[in-house]
Amino acid sequence: MEKFNKVAKNPSKITYSNEDAAKTLQDVQDGKYDYVLIDKVLYDNYQKTYHLDKIKAIELDSKDTKKISASIPYSYLLVEKTPEGKKILTAINKGITKIQSNGTAAKLSQKYFNGNYVPK
């Protein structure tokens, strides 16, 4: 949002929080905040669980998303910086490449997250 605010006509007030995402979404529904940036998979899960009927997800297009973050999704895999960690990272990257190229990742994403969230 800081990056977005630099180019926005109407910059947003940013509030940083360590609250649980469910609490933050409830705060949006209650009017404490105007919006929250959250990935769609997490939003959908909380929507099913807590029935947040006064808020709606608005998917950003890739142009707007790039104004906010250069990397999508907002999740990261952390591996220790050791020789063993490098081996693990190599194996993980090889596996990810394989399931992305053979379509397995897209099928799993659709099955468990109700959409294809595999990076292109």
Side-chain angles (χ1 to χ4, degrees):
M1 287 310 302
E2 289 171 353
K3 183 177 176 184
F4 177 79
N5 274 346
K6 289 179 183 177
V7 297
K9 290 179 184 176
N10 297 311
S12 293
K13 178 184 177 209
I14 300 172
T15 302
Y16 294 95
S17 172
N18 289 327
E19 286 184 336
D20 177 71
K23 172 71 170 100
T24 304
L25 287 168
Q26 185 65 50
D27 287 344
V28 171
Q29 179 162 281
D30 294 342
K32 182 176 179 181
Y33 303 120
D34 293 328
Y35 64 90
V36 63
L37 285 175
I38 187 170
D39 64 72
K40 185 165 181 345
V41 174
L42 188 59
Y43 168 79
D44 287 345
N45 183 41
Y46 282 123
Q47 186 62 274
K48 284 181 187 176
T49 304
Y50 299 107
H51 309 288
L52 302 164
D53 56 353
K54 294 180 183 175
I55 60 175
K56 176 185 173 189
I58 300 171
E59 291 189 53
L60 301 175
D61 62 28
S62 60
K63 183 178 133 190
D64 287 335
T65 302
K66 287 177 184 174
K67 290 179 185 176
I68 297 167
S69 174
S71 63
I72 300 169
Y74 308 110
S75 302
Y76 305 94
L77 175 65
L78 303 176
V79 179
E80 63 183 338
K81 292 183 176 184
T82 63
E84 185 63 26
K86 287 181 182 181
K87 287 179 190 176
I88 292 169
L89 185 59
T90 298
I92 290 169
N93 285 337
K94 184 177 180 181
I96 290 171
T97 300
K98 181 179 179 181
I99 67 170
Q100 283 179 325
S101 65
N102 69 16
T104 302
K107 289 177 188 173
L108 291 171
S109 180
Q110 189 65 47
K111 179 178 179 179
Y112 293 104
F113 303 122
N114 298 313
N116 185 353
Y117 297 101
V118 178
K120 294 177 171 115

